Amino acid sequence: MADQKLLPGDVHQYDEAAPAPTPHPTPASTPAPTSASALTEPSRRRLRGGRWLRRAVTNSTAILLLLAAWEVLPRLGVVDPVFVPPLSENLVAWYDLLVGGQLPEHLEASLARSLSGFGLAIVLAIPLGLLIGWYKPVADFLTPLLELFRNTSAVALLPVFTLILGIGETTKVTFVLYACAWPILLNTISGVKTVEPLLIKSARSMGLGPVRLFQKVILPAAVPTIFTGVRLAGAYSILVLLFAEMVGAKAGLGYLILDTQSSFRIPDMYAGIITISVLGLLFNLLLVGVERRFSTWRTT
């Protein structure tokens, strides 16, 4: 028995202790993994700041190149500086208009007309789009009429608005309302009609009635598409207003551009164009922020 070979399971506490297993050496050059939670708050702040800076540089490179070309090419004679002055001269003209009070006056008039028409378009087009998209009898009744007017340019109808409503403020606000209503209306209808059918079937199987189904499923699913139309309408509210302000207006950015062009004040004309571009950009950023606020449930 003494010569019997012991198996590993035959070793007991009163037997001679078995040798401890030799641990595998850990390479000193392999660092321990560091999780994001292990970073200190200043480190995370610097990391976010670096990412934001890289993104800002990437997104603004094309704009900076355009501005540089606008400044350099006229001075080199590549383009005629009489018709395309350098950017610096246009900015000086913009500052003079701002200090002289002309630019704030025209900007206030344009904003009042644009926001009035845009707001009315939202109030009227979204409920109508939800109604058309959700109720088939209403869609069948109004679709032929919508197809007729959606293919008619708003600019082509400006003389009609002028003949019927005159050349006052009502014409300009109504013209902006008409132009802005179409993208909002069509995108709202599309958003309601393109909701995933499986979501609707699942909600109905859980006992949701028509009102609760529309409130909990249809409307939230259609929000992104609706906001796409709202953002398009925001751009239209400024663009089409310029045409309206060039007909019978005495104030507004469109009037400023037309007046400075006819009197050959080219830098002032470009100052008005720059103001419109910046205004459209800020308006779009505002609408993007509102969209994120009302679409926080979406997965990004």
Side-chain angles (χ1 to χ4, degrees):
M1 293 294 294
D3 296 332
Q4 185 179 0
K5 185 177 179 180
L6 294 176
L7 299 176
D10 296 330
V11 179
H12 302 283
Q13 60 181 356
Y14 47 80
D15 293 325
E16 185 178 357
T22 304
H24 294 285
T26 303
S29 60
T30 305
T34 304
S35 61
S37 59
L39 296 176
T40 60
E41 182 60 28
S43 300
R44 288 197 295 268
R45 194 179 299 115
R46 286 194 298 269
L47 183 61
R48 289 194 297 265
R51 291 174 179 173
W52 179 87
L53 181 60
R54 288 192 298 269
R55 190 183 306 112
V57 171
T58 302
N59 295 340
S60 60
T61 300
I63 297 178
L64 294 177
L65 291 176
L66 173 63
L67 298 180
W70 193 352
E71 178 67 28
V72 173
L73 295 181
R75 297 189 181 278
L76 294 178
V78 178
V79 295
D80 193 342
V82 175
F83 300 107
V84 186
L87 176 62
S88 56
E89 296 184 11
N90 300 323
L91 294 179
V92 171
W94 183 89
Y95 180 76
D96 292 339
L97 290 174
L98 178 65
V99 174
Q102 300 178 30
L103 186 62
E105 177 185 355
H106 293 299
L107 180 61
E108 180 181 359
S110 293
L111 279 178
R113 297 161 181 160
S114 177
L115 293 178
S116 298
F118 178 68
L120 289 173
I122 292 178
V123 172
L124 297 176
I126 291 182
L128 181 59
L130 295 175
L131 188 66
I132 296 174
W134 184 239
Y135 293 103
K136 192 174 184 303
V138 179
D140 294 338
F141 178 73
L142 292 179
T143 295
L145 190 62
L146 296 180
E147 292 297 328
L148 174 64
F149 281 98
R150 67 177 292 185
N151 295 304
T152 304
S153 173
V155 178
L157 294 177
L158 179 58
V160 179
F161 282 96
T162 305
L163 289 174
I164 296 176
L165 301 175
I167 58 174
E169 296 298 312
T170 304
T171 301
K172 298 171 181 58
V173 174
T174 307
F175 183 61
V176 174
L177 164 63
Y178 178 83
C180 294
W182 288 106
I184 300 176
L185 178 64
L186 297 178
N187 277 273
T188 302
I189 296 173
S190 176
V192 173
K193 289 187 174 181
T194 56
V195 175
E196 179 63 39
L198 183 59
L199 293 176
I200 300 177
K201 292 180 180 179
S202 301
R204 284 174 174 169
S205 65
M206 294 177 1
L208 265 69
V211 177
R212 297 287 292 174
L213 175 65
F214 182 82
Q215 179 184 2
K216 295 297 184 180
V217 178
I218 303 299
L219 187 58
V223 163
T225 308
I226 294 174
F227 266 102
T228 300
V230 171
R231 290 175 58 185
L232 289 174
Y236 290 172
S237 67
I238 299 174
L239 296 178
V240 300
L241 179 63
L242 299 180
F243 294 97
E245 289 179 340
M246 292 179 180
V247 179
K250 295 299 181 182
L253 294 176
Y255 168 77
L256 173 65
I257 293 174
L258 183 64
D259 180 61
T260 53
Q261 185 269 339
S262 60
S263 59
F264 212 74
R265 291 182 288 151
I266 304 302
D268 292 347
M269 181 191 73
Y270 281 105
I273 296 174
I274 291 173
T275 304
I276 292 172
S277 300
V278 175
L279 179 62
L281 177 62
L282 294 178
F283 201 15
N284 182 69
L285 291 177
L286 176 63
L287 293 177
V288 170
V290 174
E291 179 182 4
R292 290 176 179 174
R293 172 66 180 83
F294 283 94
S295 303
T296 53
W297 55 271
R298 296 175 61 189
T299 303
T300 57

